[in-house]
Amino acid sequence: QSALTQPASVSGSPGQSITISCTGTSSDVGGYNYVSWYQQHPGKAPKLMIYEVSNRPSGVSNRFSGSKSGNTASLTISGLQAEDEADYYCSSYTSSSTPSVFGTGTKVTVL
Amino acid sequence: EVQLVESGGGLVQPGRSLRLSCAASGFTFDDYAMHWVRQAPGKGLEWVSGISWNSGSIGYADSVKGRFTISRDNAKNSLYLQMNSLRAEDTALYYCAKDSFGFRELLVFSGENWGQGTLVTVSS
């Protein structure tokens, strides 16, 4: 099972909106509504930001939103803030021999 | 408050074995699937293994299948990962993570809570 494809880096200015893509196949992202997104600051454990494509856990800012179209899921961060600078990973359930797969990761830089 | 505390990591020679543990508290452990996720130094996240709430569903990444065994002891609120035939490429920080939803049979990974990780270094 190959990792899902994410852009290596995305950047934006404070207040802007950015979108991170996560591309898979019909066996993972496209086939199930089980895509989640994680934020990881340096030296810290990942934090769940979105589950089941578009749902936010309690306590996560509504500036974070998720969506999916075909085999590509997306995470949008609106009103970008300095604290959003981190690595972001998507993950999806898969029908392959490995039931779960992560994306390659995206480094978000706030200019 | 949910707490997950991993232990058992360390320096081990290639080909040897290691057993990781994850002590859970602050929630009803036997209601939730649990997972192991690893991160090699400077690299991305890799899902390693997961086990459903009742151990009825178990899954592994292809990279560890046949070498690693996941298990849980609901009476002790503990998750384990037995790692055999270790390789240099298994060097990573190993995280224990709790699923977001209880009683889920499908091994969907939605890691609502994570531990701080335990470092495994495989080197001669």
Side-chain angles (χ1 to χ4, degrees):
Chain A
Q1 174 67 43
S2 299
L4 307 174
T5 301
Q6 298 180 232
S9 62
V10 173
S11 62
S13 299
Q16 286 186 331
S17 292
I18 61 170
T19 297
I20 303 167
S21 62
C22 169
T23 301
T25 69
S26 57
S27 297
D28 39 63
V29 174
Y32 306 91
N33 287 325
Y34 289 129
V35 175
S36 54
W37 289 90
Y38 302 86
Q39 176 192 64
Q40 186 180 35
H41 287 109
K44 301 294 187 182
K47 175 185 177 182
L48 179 66
M49 306 302 284
I50 296 287
Y51 65 92
E52 291 177 0
V53 176
S54 59
N55 296 288
R56 272 189 313 276
S58 172
V60 172
S61 171
N62 60 8
R63 297 186 299 104
F64 292 84
S65 62
S67 63
K68 189 183 82 167
S69 177
N71 296 337
T72 298
S74 299
L75 174 72
T76 297
I77 308 174
S78 57
L80 200 61
Q81 298 180 1
E83 68 208 49
D84 300 331
E85 188 161 290
D87 293 325
Y88 290 82
Y89 296 90
C90 62
S91 76
S92 174
Y93 176 78
T94 91
S95 59
S96 75
S97 56
T98 296
S100 188
V101 63
F102 276 98
T104 50
T106 298
K107 181 175 181 61
V108 168
T109 301
V110 180
L111 302 171
Chain B
E1 178 194 2
V2 172
Q3 281 201 318
L4 300 169
V5 180
E6 302 93 337
S7 61
L11 175 63
V12 62
Q13 293 179 327
R16 303 298 291 266
S17 299
L18 212 55
R19 188 195 196 205
L20 305 185
S21 299
C22 172
S25 61
F27 65 102
T28 305
F29 181 74
D30 45 5
D31 287 356
Y32 292 87
M34 298 293 295
H35 300 261
W36 289 99
V37 174
R38 69 185 181 184
Q39 187 168 34
K43 303 296 185 182
L45 300 173
E46 180 186 15
W47 181 86
V48 173
S49 182
I51 184 168
S52 64
W53 62 281
N54 61 356
S55 302
S57 294
I58 288 176
Y60 299 96
D62 288 342
S63 57
V64 307
K65 205 167 290 183
R67 300 187 300 121
F68 290 10
T69 302
I70 192 172
S71 62
R72 63 190 296 161
D73 186 337
N74 287 346
K76 295 183 178 180
N77 288 352
S78 293
L79 175 71
Y80 305 101
L81 186 68
Q82 177 67 42
M83 304 186 297
N84 298 332
S85 304
L86 283 162
R87 306 166 180 168
E89 53 264 37
D90 296 318
T91 294
L93 185 63
Y94 285 73
Y95 291 104
C96 161
K98 167 188 164 292
D99 194 10
S100 299
F101 298 100
F103 304 112
R104 192 150 61 174
E105 290 291 345
L106 208 55
L107 278 180
V108 174
F109 178 64
S110 178
E112 181 179 34
N113 303 92
W114 299 62
Q116 287 306 303
T118 186
L119 182 62
V120 172
T121 303
V122 184
S123 174
S124 54

